[in-house]
Amino acid sequence: QVQPVESGGGLVQPGGSLRLSCAASGISFSRYAMNWYRQAPGNGRELVAGVSSVGNTNYADYVKGRFTISRDNAKNTVYLQMNSLKPEDTVVYYCNAQLAYIKYWGKGTLVTVSS
């Protein structure tokens, strides 16, 4: 059973930065697209950022220019560097690994942006 594990969430001030990490073991990591989703109460999961197996990236409009997704295949880890954080970024972030029909989800990590 594959379980991506997120880390790095927590409390940060508006305008601050945070880096989320997601480690995914037990898979051929470099073959998988890696994604970060978010889910606020009462909402479904929304794609925040993704990076394909060949390095193509995609971002939601509301994070473009602020967030950066990257992957380190040697460490089986994907990162989400979050800069210029806003209160509306307060949400649970989930890591996802995807290859064709296969999807694996982490349990999520909470980011709180507040003074």
Side-chain angles (χ1 to χ4, degrees), residues 60-81:
D61 287 342
Y62 51 84
V63 305
K64 287 181 179 178
R66 299 191 298 124
F67 292 8
T68 302
I69 188 170
S70 62
R71 64 191 299 159
D72 186 340
N73 291 337
K75 296 182 178 180
N76 286 2
T77 301
V78 64
Y79 304 95
L80 185 66
Q81 178 66 46

Side-chain angles (χ1 to χ4, degrees), residues 72-113:
D72 186 340
N73 291 337
K75 296 182 178 180
N76 286 2
T77 301
V78 64
Y79 304 95
L80 185 66
Q81 178 66 46
M82 304 183 293
N83 299 324
S84 302
L85 283 161
K86 306 173 181 179
E88 51 263 46
D89 296 321
T90 297
V91 71
V92 177
Y93 290 80
Y94 295 88
C95 177
N96 158 263
Q98 181 170 345
L99 177 61
Y101 65 92
I102 302 172
K103 291 184 178 180
Y104 298 109
W105 292 94
K107 294 181 178 180
T109 185
L110 176 64
V111 171
T112 302
V113 184

Side-chain angles (χ1 to χ4, degrees), residues 9-68:
L11 177 64
V12 66
Q13 297 183 59
S17 298
L18 206 61
R19 188 177 76 160
L20 305 184
S21 299
C22 172
S25 61
I27 61 172
S28 183
F29 183 85
S30 64
R31 297 183 63 197
Y32 281 71
M34 299 298 299
N35 308 290
W36 288 97
Y37 286 76
R38 72 176 191 177
Q39 186 168 22
N43 294 90
R45 291 187 184 182
E46 303 173 343
L47 180 66
V48 177
V51 57
S52 75
S53 62
V54 295
N56 297 320
T57 58
N58 184 52
Y59 298 92
D61 287 342
Y62 51 84
V63 305
K64 287 181 179 178
R66 299 191 298 124
F67 292 8
T68 302

